[in-house]
Amino acid sequence: MMDYKEIISPYASLEGGIIEAFHAVQAKMNYLPEEAIIATAEVFKIPVKEAYGVATFYSYFSITPRGKNIIRICESAPCHIAGAQEVVDALEKELGIKMGETTPDGKFTLEFAQCVGQCQETPVITINGKPYGGVSPESIPQILGEYK
Amino acid sequence: MVNVKINGIQVAVPENATILQAAEAAGVKIPTLCHHPDQAIKANCRICVCEVEGLALLQAACSTPVWDGMVVKTNSPAVLEARKTILELILAHHPQDCLNCIRNQNCELQTLAEAYQIRENPFEHITRGLPRDTSTPSLVRDPEKCILCRRCEYACSEIQTVNALGLENRGHHAMVVPALGKDLAESPCIMCGQCIHACPVGAIHEKEEINELLAAIADPDKIVVTQMAPAVRLAIGEEVSLPTGAMDMHVLVGALKQIGFDYVLHTNFTADLTIMEEGHELLKRVKEGGKLPMFTSCSPGWINFCETYYPDLLDNLSTCKSPQQMFGALVKTYWAEKMQIDPAKIYSVSIMPCTAKKYEANRPEMNSSGYQDVDLVLTTRELGRLFRMTGLDFTKVQPGKFDSWMGAYTGAAVIFGATGGVMEAALRTVYEVVTGKTLEDVNFTFARGMEGIKEAEIDLNGLKVKVAIAHGLGNARKVMDQVRAGTSPYHFIEIMACPGGCIGGGGQPITKSNVKREERIKAIYSEDAGLPLRKSHDNPEVQQLYKEFLHEPLGHKSHELLHTHYTPKNKKFL
Ligand code: SF4
Ligand code: SF4
Ligand code: FES
Ligand code: FES
């Protein structure tokens, strides 16, 4: 098993270090396993319920295993109005999974995001953190092609 | 002091007061939901909004401090409209089944819905279909009803320091649940039930077992015997519209017999017995250099807490079973023998102020009589429901008498129900055992009251004993950390899981604040003061039990029936 404490410990004395620690775990695992949340609580000397609260509060963290490529669709108001739902439908259709799920081959995960700060070109999706603006349902196969 | 005008009424309040407190001083009631008088400000429900002159937006009364010259309107049309909308929004996500709810007619949300004339809700009704958590023998969580006020979380984390409940997700996905999506049984929950009192609605409650009792009463092959804890009598009146403490003990016995209990006995009897065993255990430890400080062991929520958070200190716990379990072990042995009743037919029911007692009765080791020692545990609230179900009129119920051999008790047993009571009862007996003299003034007043940690040094003929009392597990933790660090100055420590002791237990009538707890404590000491016998060793039936059956405190039979052992809980997460 992975030594989570080793990953987490460097952040123990930082202010708000728990967020950094979770990012570090997620960089390795793609999600926050239960054991990692428990280990984080121990390192930061807080109850597990608090560490779990942080892990589930931020949409950037996931507590379920995720695929190699994380596709996040902005659902904040501007993107929503610009047609985020049609993009969601197209992605779900193309990948054969629902939002929040991972493809059986472990390649793609679909998630919602809050405003990612690219409102000049809505609707916006990000893949592994890289933003794609002005996305239309038609452009989906081509964008996904880059990652297949 | 600053001057504030609430709805035209001028009041002077301390500088750091909130609008809510100022309104209270002015005799104006502002509705609240997330606010709790014994908790820190949360300000997450917004139902308490008010208009403040000079401010454009409505302000939450529970969290907004007043300033000199502040002018507040708590009932303007805009305020009433806003509150109504807030209620409608809450209700749009809340099950609409008040009739089936355990908190029907005792729910803060229901009361507000009635007061604010909520008839038709313009918002679409969408609930989340969240499942109930019935994983423990003590509690049921119904997250579907949760309004996210987080009062339970505060009670659990800040007052009890158990940290079983927390916030998961955010926005409309938010829930108040045990960590890691686990159920309560896997969480560090110690079953104290303090979250039940905190909850304004029916989202957490006791596991109800009234039907099991009714079935046993209806079964001609079962002899239904009951014990009831000292804290039950003084609070049960609250369930049937009597003032706190007003229910007469013998009327209560009469009522239990009317309902169909075959024999009514008393946990007070084994409370006195506990003092005999625990007092001698303490003296033995002091004399023979046993593990000190010794902790009391009658609060099963506290036992769960110790097994969960302080497994390294289990040897400090008295090995005495709780009075409930001592009773259970004796009723199917000693009492059955005395009564010439086949113990296999005895159905032993205990009525308790406590949710953790339901868990305790189910512990696998609690079978030293050769049977399950206690078959069923009902809370004070369940007894209240039973009384209302059977329609008893307490002005007419004929007083009854406790049955023999395990029904007598002293004032020392009565005060077990309040924080400090076990300590005081123990000192009354230990003093006489050690000094051989009569204790003239039995009142150890240092032990009484709601202060979180109480301590004293008692001089027993030159033997100086240092004692401490803690109630509410946050206070217990402070005392325990000292013990763990090796700096504890005490010989004997009483710990009760619930604030105020059993009178504030998780199974008591819904307790809105510590003010009610203090009222119940008062009632308990006045009961003690009115009794002819006030020292456990003077209990004639306890004396007879030793003479005929147990022979001596800490003897062979006692060890078999009245003492127990503890096991670390090894929870996966804390
Ligand atoms: S019963 Fe006590 S320990 Fe368990 S969740 Fe409720 S407050 Fe916390
Ligand atoms: S369970 Fe009750 S006390 Fe806890 S957050 Fe929900 S409504 Fe509030
Ligand atoms: S709203 Fe979607 S990027 Fe800002
Ligand atoms: S009572 Fe003031 S915000 Fe909830």
Side-chain angles (χ1 to χ4, degrees):
Chain A
M1 204 178 84
M2 182 143 320
D3 186 354
Y4 294 114
K5 287 204 176 156
E6 200 176 308
I7 307 176
I8 297 157
S9 297
Y11 307 98
S13 54
L14 298 182
E15 204 181 315
I18 184 168
I19 309 252
E20 300 300 319
F22 279 157
H23 275 304
V25 172
Q26 203 158 269
K28 284 223 159 56
M29 304 294 296
N30 241 345
Y31 80 111
L32 300 176
E34 215 169 272
E35 292 72 24
I37 296 174
I38 295 173
T40 307
E42 277 167 20
V43 169
F44 284 84
K45 300 194 170 59
I46 55 173
V48 172
K49 66 122 188 172
E50 245 165 72
Y52 182 69
V54 174
T56 57
F57 184 87
Y58 295 100
S59 59
Y60 270 102
F61 297 133
S62 170
I63 56 164
T64 47
R66 304 193 293 176
K68 198 160 145 266
N69 302 298
I70 316 281
I71 308 174
R72 315 185 81 228
I73 302 104
C74 173
E75 62 168 343
S76 290
C79 286
H80 184 80
I81 292 166
Q85 189 54 45
E86 284 80 67
V87 177
V88 167
D89 293 342
L91 279 164
E92 287 185 340
K93 195 161 154 243
E94 183 71 19
L95 295 173
I97 55 169
K98 293 270 168 223
M99 291 303 296
E101 293 177 352
T102 300
T103 51
D105 62 5
K107 269 206 179 135
F108 293 100
T109 296
L110 286 178
E111 283 177 2
F112 281 118
Q114 302 303 318
C115 177
V116 296
Q118 304 286 326
C119 320
Q120 72 281 3
E121 229 189 334
T122 55
V124 180
I125 69 169
T126 67
I127 302 185
N128 303 334
K130 178 179 168 195
Y132 294 81
V135 177
S136 66
E138 296 72 42
S139 61
I140 292 295
Q142 190 209 328
I143 297 177
L144 289 186
E146 294 175 36
Y147 296 87
K148 279 197 168 146
Chain B
M1 299 294 264
V2 293
N3 290 306
V4 183
K5 216 179 217 174
I6 311 269
N7 299 349
I9 305 163
Q10 195 76 44
V11 281
V13 291
E15 220 148 303
N16 51 5
T18 60
I19 296 178
L20 187 65
Q21 289 163 329
E24 211 179 285
V28 170
K29 196 167 156 61
I30 297 174
T32 56
L33 279 172
C34 69
H35 179 77
H36 187 291
D38 305 328
Q39 300 187 358
I41 293 164
K42 293 171 227 55
N44 60 34
C45 77
R46 317 309 288 182
I47 196 70
C48 63
V49 286
C50 292
E51 222 175 278
V52 177
E53 213 174 85
L55 297 182
L57 298 176
L58 298 180
Q59 303 294 312
C62 68
S63 63
T64 310
V66 294
W67 61 73
D68 199 37
M70 186 187 239
V71 177
V72 181
K73 284 191 196 140
T74 74
N75 286 327
S76 69
V79 166
L80 295 181
E81 193 51 40
R83 288 201 195 126
K84 203 165 171 175
T85 305
I86 291 165
L87 277 175
E88 284 165 349
L89 285 167
I90 295 174
L91 290 166
H93 296 291
H94 194 84
Q96 314 278 300
D97 69 343
C98 292
L99 278 183
N100 302 324
C101 183
I102 196 166
R103 292 286 292 269
N104 189 13
Q105 302 188 65
N106 191 6
C107 167
E108 295 179 30
L109 182 60
Q110 189 187 43
T111 303
L112 286 179
E114 190 278 334
Y116 280 78
Q117 215 185 318
I118 307 293
R119 298 287 176 261
E120 272 158 52
N121 197 334
F123 301 105
E124 192 189 347
H125 188 239
I126 305 170
T127 54
R128 293 196 268 173
L130 300 170
R132 285 185 183 199
D133 176 350
T134 56
S135 60
T136 77
S138 296
L139 292 121
V140 176
R141 282 192 329 106
D142 192 352
E144 192 76 343
K145 290 190 178 148
C146 175
I147 60 168
L148 301 175
C149 69
R150 303 178 74 180
R151 281 160 49 165
C152 57
E153 183 186 359
Y154 188 96
C156 186
S157 301
E158 305 301 323
I159 295 173
Q160 298 296 58
T161 63
V162 172
N163 297 307
L165 300 168
L167 192 67
E168 176 187 273
N169 303 326
R170 67 166 163 183
H172 56 276
H173 302 293
M175 291 194 277
V176 176
V177 288
L180 306 174
K182 304 293 183 196
D183 56 30
L184 262 190
E186 275 182 276
S187 84
C189 170
I190 52 101
M191 323 271 160
C192 67
Q194 289 306 308
C195 48
I196 298 176
H197 292 300
C199 186
V201 297
I204 315 182
H205 55 84
E206 68 277 19
K207 187 168 267 180
E208 289 185 285
E209 290 170 298
I210 292 180
N211 291 341
E212 282 77 351
L213 172 74
L214 295 176
I217 288 177
D219 185 340
D221 289 331
K222 285 202 172 110
I223 296 169
V224 184
V225 182
T226 190
Q227 56 165 319
M228 86 189 121
V232 173
R233 181 201 64 85
L234 57 121
I236 184 65
E238 296 167 22
E239 290 282 320
V240 289
S241 311
L242 293 176
T244 297
M247 174 73 81
D248 178 82
M249 182 67 96
H250 293 98
V251 168
L252 180 54
V253 174
L256 291 171
K257 294 211 167 163
Q258 267 198 40
I259 286 178
F261 286 98
D262 297 308
Y263 295 93
V264 178
L265 302 171
H266 213 312
T267 316
N268 279 353
F269 168 81
T270 36
D272 278 331
L273 180 61
T274 300
I275 290 302
M276 296 300 290
E277 292 290 323
E278 202 165 83
H280 283 92
E281 184 184 2
L282 175 66
L283 290 175
K284 186 164 181 230
R285 287 193 192 207
V286 171
K287 280 194 201 124
E288 296 176 9
K291 244 307 184 246
L292 291 173
M294 184 174 91
F295 310 141
T296 58
S297 57
C298 23
S299 163
W302 149 238
I303 297 296
N304 289 344
F305 185 76
C306 197
E307 288 177 330
T308 304
Y309 282 101
Y310 295 91
D312 48 321
L313 299 180
L314 292 178
D315 289 343
N316 293 69
L317 277 171
S318 160
T319 59
C320 287
K321 286 181 183 171
S322 72
Q324 160 173 292
Q325 294 306 136
M326 285 197 184
F327 182 101
L330 287 174
V331 80
K332 294 189 183 182
T333 53
Y334 168 71
W335 188 81
E337 228 174 278
K338 286 287 257 189
M339 299 292 292
Q340 312 226 324
I341 292 175
D342 175 5
K345 290 194 166 167
I346 296 179
Y347 189 75
S348 126
V349 179
S350 89
I351 303 169
M352 291 287 143
C354 182
T355 42
K357 295 262 185 222
K358 288 183 185 258
Y359 172 88
E360 183 187 37
N362 279 298
R363 279 177 175 255
E365 68 270 24
M366 292 300 174
N367 61 356
S368 35
S369 64
Y371 306 88
Q372 181 169 341
D373 294 333
V374 173
D375 293 292
L376 186 72
V377 179
L378 296 182
T379 57
T380 313
R381 285 192 296 274
E382 288 168 278
L383 181 63
R385 246 163 260 143
L386 205 57
F387 282 162
R388 297 193 294 274
M389 180 190 290
T390 48
L392 290 178
D393 174 354
F394 281 92
T395 61
K396 303 221 171 79
V397 172
Q398 285 304 306
K401 257 184 60 196
F402 282 106
D403 289 291
S404 294
W405 317 123
M406 289 173 61
Y409 58 90
T410 72
V414 169
I415 59 176
F416 260 63
T419 163
V422 177
M423 178 60 68
E424 183 168 348
L427 291 175
R428 290 179 189 178
T429 288
V430 166
Y431 180 90
E432 296 203 350
V433 171
V434 172
T435 64
K437 288 190 242 162
T438 305
L439 178 65
E440 297 301 343
D441 181 6
V442 300
N443 301 303
F444 290 88
T445 44
F446 84 90
R448 302 179 184 181
M450 282 296 283
E451 201 186 320
I453 299 173
K454 295 164 274 190
E455 54 168 13
E457 187 178 86
I458 312 292
D459 190 341
L460 304 170
N461 242 8
L463 176 65
K464 290 203 167 44
V465 181
K466 277 200 134 191
V467 301
I469 299 156
H471 60 114
L473 294 169
N475 294 320
R477 208 180 256 280
K478 292 182 198 146
V479 178
M480 296 297 285
D481 284 342
Q482 264 188 333
V483 178
R484 187 175 264 171
T487 57
S488 177
Y490 308 114
H491 298 98
F492 187 31
I493 302 175
E494 178 206 289
I495 296 180
M496 293 288 157
C498 293
C502 312
I503 53 94
Q508 289 285 66
I510 296 297
T511 309
K512 300 258 157 72
S513 80
N514 284 336
V515 175
K516 184 48 95 185
R517 290 186 163 91
E518 283 177 25
E519 228 181 283
R520 292 181 188 149
I521 288 176
K522 253 198 173 150
I524 241 179
Y525 287 105
S526 77
E527 184 177 349
D528 166 41
L531 286 168
L533 298 177
R534 297 179 66 190
K535 298 168 195 158
S536 294
H537 53 281
D538 290 342
N539 181 326
E541 287 186 350
V542 168
Q543 290 170 348
Q544 186 176 12
L545 169 72
Y546 276 112
K547 203 161 131 236
E548 295 177 10
F549 188 73
L550 294 174
H551 306 305
E552 55 174 343
L554 309 182
H556 174 69
K557 267 250 158 68
S558 290
H559 269 287
E560 219 170 73
L561 293 172
L562 309 181
H563 291 257
T564 186
H565 58 273
Y566 309 101
T567 327
K569 287 255 188 282
N570 291 322
K571 289 280 178 175
K572 188 173 166 209
F573 64 94
L574 296 176

